[in-house]
Amino acid sequence: MQTVALHTRLRPGKEAEYDRIHAEIPSDLDAALRDAGVHAWRIWRSGRDLFHLVECEDFARMRAHLQTHPANVPWQARMAELLEISDDYSGAKPQVHLVWALPPRT
């Protein structure tokens, strides 16, 4: 299992539209993500900056699976209209390694 952190940035004025579109992910895209080995994908937004945390079996394999998937292609085209920076990982392996966590109370 890999945990991958990504950063993207919205075009100015696209915040509300991005939030609205993400209120409900299409069921075929949901299925495609799961078929590609994604266990969880969370997105936080601070102003125009988006911070993604993806938990998946294999990030490179997931991207390859989704690249031409019929559920993902139109979704990515729609996101391209909203994003100023679509990714900032440029082929690097953006894995996040847990350094510290507040332990649960015992």
Side-chain angles (χ1 to χ4, degrees):
M1 177 81 83
Q2 294 180 306
T3 301
V4 178
L6 307 172
H7 170 254
T8 56
R9 182 172 299 125
L10 294 168
R11 296 177 191 273
K14 299 297 184 179
E15 299 88 343
E17 187 175 359
Y18 184 88
D19 291 356
R20 180 183 56 76
I21 290 170
H22 279 79
E24 185 175 341
I25 301 300
S27 59
D28 59 342
L29 181 59
D30 181 284
L33 290 166
R34 292 174 193 279
D35 289 346
V38 176
H39 292 265
W41 193 316
R42 296 172 195 86
I43 304 172
W44 292 265
R45 185 172 64 75
S46 177
R48 293 175 36 223
D49 288 297
L50 302 166
F51 303 94
H52 309 245
L53 193 63
V54 183
E55 296 173 23
C56 60
E57 294 299 322
D58 182 306
F59 184 70
R61 189 174 63 214
M62 181 263 305
R63 285 185 48 108
H65 177 83
L66 294 174
Q67 185 174 12
T68 59
H69 194 285
N72 189 51
V73 170
W75 180 262
Q76 292 306 319
R78 182 68 180 107
M79 291 304 103
E81 297 172 0
L82 304 177
L83 295 172
E84 180 177 284
I85 297 175
S86 60
D87 66 56
D88 64 354
Y89 43 92
S90 305
K93 295 184 177 184
Q95 289 196 46
V96 176
H97 301 280
L98 182 64
V99 175
W100 181 86
L102 181 66
R105 290 187 176 169
T106 56

